[in-house]
Amino acid sequence: SSSNYETGKIIYAWALGAGNFETGPDAGFVVGSRAGIEAPYLVLQSHFLNAVSNETAAEVAEVEMHATSKFPEKVISMSLFSHNQFSLPPQEERVEVKAKCCMKGAGSADLLAYRVHGHQYARDISLAVNNESIVSGDAQLPHFFTKDAAMHKLRQGSDWAATCAYNTEASNTTVTVGSGHNDEMCNMYLMLSSHVPFNSFCIGYYDGDGFENDKFPDCMIPEVVDVEGRLRVKNVLEMPELGQVGGLHLGYQGNPNWLLIFHRSGREMLQIDNPEPISEDVLMVWDTLANRSVTTFGRGLFNLPHGLTVDRDNNIWLTDVDSQLAYKLDPSGKLHLTVGMSNERGHDRKHLCRPTEVAVANNGDFFVSDGYCNERVVRYDARGGVVAELGLPDANVVHSLVLDDCSNTLYVADREKSHVRLLDADSGQEHPYIDLSQFGYVYSLTKDEYGNIYALTWQRDVPVRKTYLVQFQARAALYFQQYGSFQLMPIELPGIEFPHDFAVSYNFQEHALDIYVGETGPGPHGKVTSFSFAL
C-alpha cells in the first residue's frame, strides 16, 4: 500500500480452512517503496463476524509470508471485479449480477488462482473472457484462493466478466448491496502471473458494463525530461548474416527476453520485385539476456521481408513487399495461410500491392496495411476471406498499423505524410489524425504490455538525420469514443541512421522502457540497437 488499504494493491486474502498457498517457482508479489512499485507498507485486515464475543475470543488471524530480495521471473498481481450498485428482488430462484470490463493490454496473463466473495444469498461466481467460461466458485464455501489447475491464459484487449448468481427465495424483502455481513456482495479476485504486474479494479454499474481502474506502473514518459540522464544504449547487434531488418517482436514464445527478428539476408528493396525466395533463414530468435542466437528459420518462403506481428496465440504474421503476400505461420514456424496473389501486384480484393504489416483481433480477424501502392487497410476473417476494404484516401505509403482492441480503433502510419490515421476497425470511419510532422516520417507503430502506443519516426531529409520514439498520451478517453487530442512525448534515439521497425517493453525490475530499433542499412546490412530509458 502507498498509504493505507483504500489506495493500495491487494496481495492475498484467505479464510477459515485455507491451507498453504505456493505461488510456484521464481514467482511472487513485489513490494517496496521504489517508483513503479509504490508499496512501502503491508496492511493486514482481519474480519470477524462478531468483534467481541465468547465465540471469537480465542480466534486469531495470521499469515506467514516468505520474502526474498531476488526479483522474481514471474510477477504476481491482482485484478478485482466488483459490483456494488445493485439490489436483488425477493423470492427469486436465480438472479445474476455482472461486472464486465475490457481489460487493457497487448498480450495475455496467466490465471494463477481466483477467489469469490459473496454473502448469504450468493451461490456461484464465475469468470468469462469474451463469453467463454473460464472458472467459477461456490460463494457459500470459505473465501480462500483456489488454484486454477488449467492455468488459463487470459487474453487482454478482451471483455472480462465476473457474474454473481443469487438465490433470494428465502427473503421476503429486497436484498441490498453493502459492506456489512447482512448485506450482499459481488466480488471476484483474479491472481495473475506475468513478467509485469497487472493490478486493476473493474467496477460494475447497473447494466453490468463497468469501468476499469488500472493500477499499472506509470510508464508515461515525463513531460520535462533530461534524456541524457535517462537514456543509455544497452547493446548493438550486428553480424554478417543479419540483413536489413524488416520487423521486430519482443516476447517471442512468451519469453520476455526473446527478440524475433525478420530480416532480408543480404537483399535490398528495389523498384521492381524480386520473384525468387531468399534461400537463407530470414527469421532469427535472439536471446537479449544471454546475448546469443537461439534459432533461425524461414528459408525459401520470402522474397523481401517487411512487417512482423506475433499474436496472443504466438502465431507469426509477416508481409513480403516483393511476393505481394501476407503470411501466417503457426508457433512452430510452419506456414498456415497466405492472402494476396503470389508475385502479382493488384488493387482489387484478391490482390495486395506491397503490403507492409498485419494487426490481429481477438476474434481471429486480421488487418493488412496495403501498402506502398494501395491506399487502404484490408480486413480478413480468420480463414483469409476478405471482410472489408477500409479506404485511406490520399495516403502516401501505408507503412504500419496497430489495433487498440478495447476502443476498436486502428492506428495506421501514413508514412510520407507524417500522419497516424485513426479508423474504426468495423466501419472504417476515420477520426482526426495525429500529426507527427515535427518528428519526421512515420515508419512504425507498436504497443507495450499495457497497450500504450508508440511511433517510430525519422527525419531523413535534413543534413543531420534524427530518429524519435514518440509516445501517445491521450488527453481524452478513447474508451468512451471521445477522439480527442494527444500529448506527444518524444525521445530522440541517437546513432540510428536507417530506422524501420521497433519494439517497446516495460522493464519492471528497472522501472524503465526497453526499446529495440531495427535498421534497413547501410546497404544490404542491418542492425538492432537496444536502449534503456529510465522512467
Side-chain angles (χ1 to χ4, degrees):
S1 174
S2 57
S3 58
N4 52 54
Y5 69 87
E6 285 88 0
T7 59
K9 304 177 183 71
I10 299 165
I11 291 181
Y12 187 60
W14 71 101
L16 288 174
N20 291 338
F21 188 90
E22 300 289 342
T23 59
D26 205 6
F29 292 92
V30 179
V31 298
S33 57
R34 195 208 71 192
I37 301 173
E38 297 168 343
Y41 306 106
L42 290 175
V43 179
L44 174 66
Q45 288 188 51
S46 298
H47 292 213
F48 293 93
L49 178 59
N50 296 303
V52 180
S53 71
N54 292 332
E55 294 178 359
T56 61
E59 288 191 7
V60 296
E62 63 182 12
V63 62
E64 179 182 299
M65 296 175 289
H66 298 267
T68 176
S69 59
K70 180 179 179 292
F71 207 90
E73 180 179 327
K74 291 289 187 180
V75 177
I76 310 300
S77 54
M78 197 74 67
S79 184
L80 169 61
F81 282 69
S82 179
H83 201 311
N84 55 15
Q85 299 186 34
F86 67 90
S87 59
L88 304 172
Q91 298 184 343
E92 292 287 342
E93 183 179 0
R94 187 175 179 89
V95 183
E96 292 186 350
V97 172
K98 182 178 294 186
K100 181 179 73 173
C101 291
C102 186
M103 302 301 287
K104 290 183 287 185
S108 60
D110 294 330
L111 179 60
L112 177 63
Y114 59 97
R115 175 181 182 259
V116 300
H117 183 193
H119 285 170
Q120 179 180 353
Y121 300 100
R123 294 300 180 260
D124 59 273
I125 300 178
S126 59
L127 172 71
V129 174
N130 276 353
N131 297 317
E132 178 186 349
S133 179
I134 304 297
V135 291
S136 65
D138 187 342
Q140 292 304 306
L141 295 178
H143 300 154
F144 50 78
F145 274 95
T146 301
K147 285 282 190 73
D148 177 20
M151 198 75 162
H152 287 90
K153 284 192 175 296
L154 306 185
R155 294 167 177 257
Q156 293 154 337
S158 302
D159 285 335
W160 296 13
T163 301
C164 301
Y166 303 88
N167 183 313
T168 61
E169 290 177 310
S171 177
N172 293 318
T173 60
T174 298
V175 179
T176 58
V177 66
S179 59
H181 176 72
N182 293 322
D183 300 314
E184 201 43 84
M185 284 190 169
C186 174
N187 294 319
M188 190 170 201
Y189 301 79
L190 306 178
M191 190 180 289
L192 304 176
S193 173
S194 183
H195 67 286
V196 294
F198 288 102
N199 297 291
S200 64
F201 296 87
C202 174
I203 309 301
Y205 293 139
Y206 292 102
D207 60 358
D209 286 341
F211 177 73
E212 183 201 8
N213 177 20
D214 64 69
K215 289 183 173 289
F216 303 158
D218 185 2
C219 297
M220 296 296 102
I221 297 170
E223 191 166 353
V224 179
V225 58
D226 175 17
V227 173
E228 290 187 3
R230 294 174 181 257
L231 185 69
R232 63 183 176 90
V233 176
K234 296 176 68 174
N235 187 52
V236 178
L237 173 61
E238 292 182 281
M239 56 179 62
E241 60 268 35
L242 181 64
Q244 293 184 346
V245 177
L248 296 174
H249 172 82
L250 186 64
Y252 179 63
Q253 296 284 16
N255 187 326
N257 301 311
W258 282 8
L259 181 71
L260 183 61
I261 305 170
F262 190 36
H263 67 97
R264 296 172 180 169
S265 188
R267 193 167 285 182
E268 297 182 66
M269 187 173 181
L270 305 172
Q271 291 297 319
I272 59 173
D273 301 330
N274 193 316
E276 299 300 326
I278 298 171
S279 59
E280 294 84 16
D281 285 339
V282 295
L283 285 154
M284 175 190 294
V285 181
W286 185 262
D287 189 325
T288 61
L289 202 60
N291 203 30
R292 65 176 181 86
S293 174
V294 176
T295 188
T296 62
F297 58 101
R299 65 180 60 193
L301 281 176
F302 305 99
N303 299 6
L304 195 78
H306 197 276
L308 165 66
T309 302
V310 178
D311 67 22
R312 292 175 172 95
D313 295 320
N314 290 315
N315 298 301
I316 307 165
W317 299 80
L318 310 119
T319 60
D320 187 320
V321 290
D322 278 5
S323 74
Q324 317 308 328
L325 297 176
Y327 304 74
K328 177 185 179 182
L329 309 186
D330 69 17
S332 71
K334 182 180 178 181
L335 181 63
H336 183 75
L337 68 79
T338 63
V339 294
M341 301 295 289
S342 181
N343 293 326
E344 290 184 16
R345 297 189 187 192
H347 311 290
D348 58 21
R349 292 166 70 93
K350 292 183 179 180
H351 289 81
L352 297 169
C353 195
R354 293 205 142 178
T356 51
E357 196 168 24
V358 179
V360 186
N362 271 318
N363 69 350
D365 285 9
F366 60 98
F367 304 81
V368 179
S369 48
D370 184 34
Y372 278 86
C373 38
N374 278 325
E375 302 171 356
R376 64 183 180 178
V377 172
V378 184
R379 180 172 184 164
Y380 299 87
D381 62 28
R383 295 182 177 181
V386 175
V387 174
E389 296 176 80
L390 310 180
L392 291 162
D394 301 317
N396 191 355
V397 184
V398 184
H399 202 254
S400 179
L401 81 170
V402 294
L403 174 65
D404 184 327
D405 301 86
C406 287
S407 67
N408 199 36
T409 303
L410 285 166
Y411 289 66
V412 186
D414 190 345
R415 192 184 81 181
E416 297 300 297
K417 288 195 171 181
S418 302
H419 293 165
V420 176
R421 298 172 70 166
L422 276 60
L423 301 178
D424 183 287
D426 289 331
S427 68
Q429 179 183 354
E430 190 162 0
H431 301 279
Y433 61 79
I434 303 168
D435 186 356
L436 296 182
S437 56
Q438 61 182 309
F439 306 113
Y441 301 103
V442 187
Y443 270 73
S444 185
L445 300 168
T446 195
K447 298 188 289 186
D448 64 20
E449 290 88 344
Y450 299 122
N452 300 311
I453 296 175
Y454 304 80
L456 181 70
T457 66
W458 186 20
Q459 290 182 344
R460 66 170 192 254
D461 299 331
V462 292
V464 180
R465 292 175 170 180
K466 293 184 178 181
T467 298
Y468 292 92
L469 173 144
V470 183
Q471 184 185 63
F472 301 165
Q473 298 179 6
R475 289 196 179 109
L478 285 179
Y479 299 99
F480 292 104
Q481 301 301 314
Q482 299 172 1
Y483 291 87
S485 60
F486 289 82
Q487 181 81 7
L488 304 176
M489 301 307 301
I491 302 172
E492 184 180 345
L493 302 175
I496 305 298
E497 296 291 332
F498 303 94
H500 194 262
D501 196 25
F502 72 136
V504 180
S505 175
Y506 175 58
N507 186 324
F508 184 41
Q509 184 169 358
E510 298 180 4
H511 189 47
L513 294 178
D514 286 342
I515 304 162
Y516 296 81
V517 181
E519 297 187 60
T520 51
H525 308 290
K527 70 175 182 178
V528 178
T529 304
S530 60
F531 299 88
S532 174
F533 180 81
L535 294 166

